[in-house]
Amino acid sequence: MPKFPAGGKWIGVLMRRAGVERQRKDFADFYQRSRDECLRAVLASTDDRALADDLVAEAFARAWASWSKVSRHPAPAAWVVRTALNVRVSWWRRRRREVALDGHDRAQPAGDGPVMDDVLLAAVRRLPQRQREVIVLRVWLDLDTKTVAEVLGISALTVAVHLSRAIATLRAQLATVSK
């Protein structure tokens, strides 16, 4: 029969191990629930499906690395989207001096991913950045106004103004397309 050290050392080890397993399961559940909606949100800001996949993967990797903090965030999916968009800006800054290939480097969207109307996606991409962020967080991720304000670091009233302007712009753009 093995001898266990006094003081409950093994109990602490077993409890920590159980805590890590619970964190892994919580993160896996979060990933399964929110990956597609995060990908759709990031696709609204980029023309490139492959780039959006990379950005979301990087953001989820960072979320896992900081899961103890991210899991307590009021909107973890919004944290992932914001992180993915921040990574995109960082990549853009590193690559902005490279020569563009006139769109020949853009990957074609894969048919197995989230379905989104190309006209709507193009209209959302034409919105100013802040309006686009508000639409993605408020409408596509279905976050409440207060949470969107916290994620973006702006007031709830500013969120409402950006949302109103974005919806008006989208209505005008989509009305001309459908005529």
Side-chain angles (χ1 to χ4, degrees), residues 89-176:
V89 169
S90 297
W91 285 0
W92 175 81
R93 285 179 179 154
R94 284 193 300 267
R95 293 186 177 105
R96 69 180 168 200
R97 296 182 196 264
E98 295 178 7
V99 176
L101 297 175
D102 299 325
H104 296 290
D105 57 338
R106 291 186 183 156
Q108 296 301 317
D112 60 345
V115 178
M116 187 172 297
D117 183 5
D118 290 337
V119 175
L120 175 62
L121 190 57
V124 170
R125 286 186 183 134
R126 286 191 296 269
L127 292 172
Q129 179 180 350
R130 187 58 83 179
Q131 289 179 16
R132 190 171 53 241
E133 291 170 346
V134 168
I135 285 286
V136 165
L137 295 173
R138 181 70 180 93
V139 177
W140 289 350
L141 293 181
D142 197 28
L143 300 176
D144 60 79
T145 302
K146 181 182 175 192
T147 305
V148 172
E150 289 173 9
V151 168
L152 295 178
I154 58 179
S155 74
L157 182 59
T158 304
V159 169
V161 169
H162 283 303
L163 183 63
S164 174
R165 289 178 182 167
I167 290 172
T169 302
L170 290 172
R171 278 187 185 141
Q173 288 179 6
L174 297 175
T176 59

Side-chain angles (χ1 to χ4, degrees), residues 20-36 60 63-64 67 71:
V20 169
E21 288 303 316
R22 188 177 57 248
Q23 276 189 331
R24 284 185 186 150
K25 182 179 179 339
D26 289 348
F27 182 79
D29 291 344
F30 165 69
Y31 179 82
Q32 291 297 322
R33 266 191 336 268
S34 57
R35 184 194 180 277
D36 286 346
F60 271 108
W64 169 244
W67 185 240
S71 65

